[in-house]
Amino acid sequence: MSFAEQYQNIEEIEKWLRRVLFLNFVRWYKVNKQKRTSELKPNIPLQDNSVESSTFVDADTILSVLETMSEEKQEIVKLRFWGDLKFAEIAEKLNKNEAAVKKMFYRTLLDIKDKIK
């Protein structure tokens, strides 16, 4: 539609197309960003009955600890677990080095583990 309306005014079609694609992507990203919430099943029973019940932690506890952490750490954990993204994909999405994303991910998991104990 935009093309038909603005065809007469377009001087450089390549730049115009890039701009249209970019704006469409931004609009799509904003819409999908709001839909990126995932619900976890609370209190999933452990398969191994030999494990003590004190080692069982429900999803609500983990999420409450995760919410106390920085937005960046939350985003990495959520993209890894709920988004099923690889570290390289997460790094690209966050404009970071893959090694830095891995390091932050594993440190975040250790922080969560320490806070749950």
Side-chain angles (χ1 to χ4, degrees):
M1 261 333 214
S2 296
F3 182 74
E5 293 170 355
Q6 298 178 9
Y7 180 73
Q8 302 290 333
N9 301 331
I10 299 172
E11 293 176 14
E12 295 181 41
I13 192 140
E14 185 177 340
K15 288 182 181 179
W16 181 85
L17 284 173
R18 284 183 186 170
R19 181 74 178 154
V20 169
L21 288 173
F22 173 75
L23 293 174
N24 282 330
F25 171 76
V26 168
R27 185 174 8 153
W28 171 85
Y29 180 77
K30 286 180 180 179
V31 168
N32 288 319
K33 184 177 181 182
Q34 295 170 353
K35 295 179 184 178
R36 281 195 277 163
T37 58
S38 299
E39 291 188 26
L40 299 177
K41 296 178 184 176
N43 301 327
I44 299 173
L46 296 173
Q47 298 296 328
D48 186 5
N49 294 334
S50 65
V51 177
E52 293 180 29
S53 63
S54 64
T55 60
F56 178 75
V57 179
D58 67 355
D60 291 331
T61 305
I62 294 171
L63 287 174
S64 65
V65 170
L66 184 61
E67 287 174 358
T68 64
M69 299 184 171
S70 70
E71 288 289 325
E72 187 175 45
K73 289 180 179 182
Q74 289 181 39
E75 186 76 8
I76 290 172
V77 171
K78 289 175 182 177
L79 289 172
R80 182 71 174 151
F81 287 123
W82 293 287
D84 290 327
L85 296 180
K86 297 177 183 176
F87 287 115
E89 295 169 325
I90 296 170
E92 183 179 324
K93 186 171 187 136
L94 299 177
N95 295 323
K96 293 202 169 278
N97 183 328
E98 183 178 350
V101 169
K102 278 185 187 180
K103 194 173 197 178
M104 185 175 288
F105 173 77
Y106 288 116
R107 284 186 179 174
T108 303
L109 292 183
L110 288 175
D111 288 347
I112 291 171
K113 182 179 174 183
D114 288 342
K115 289 181 180 183
I116 289 176
K117 285 185 181 181

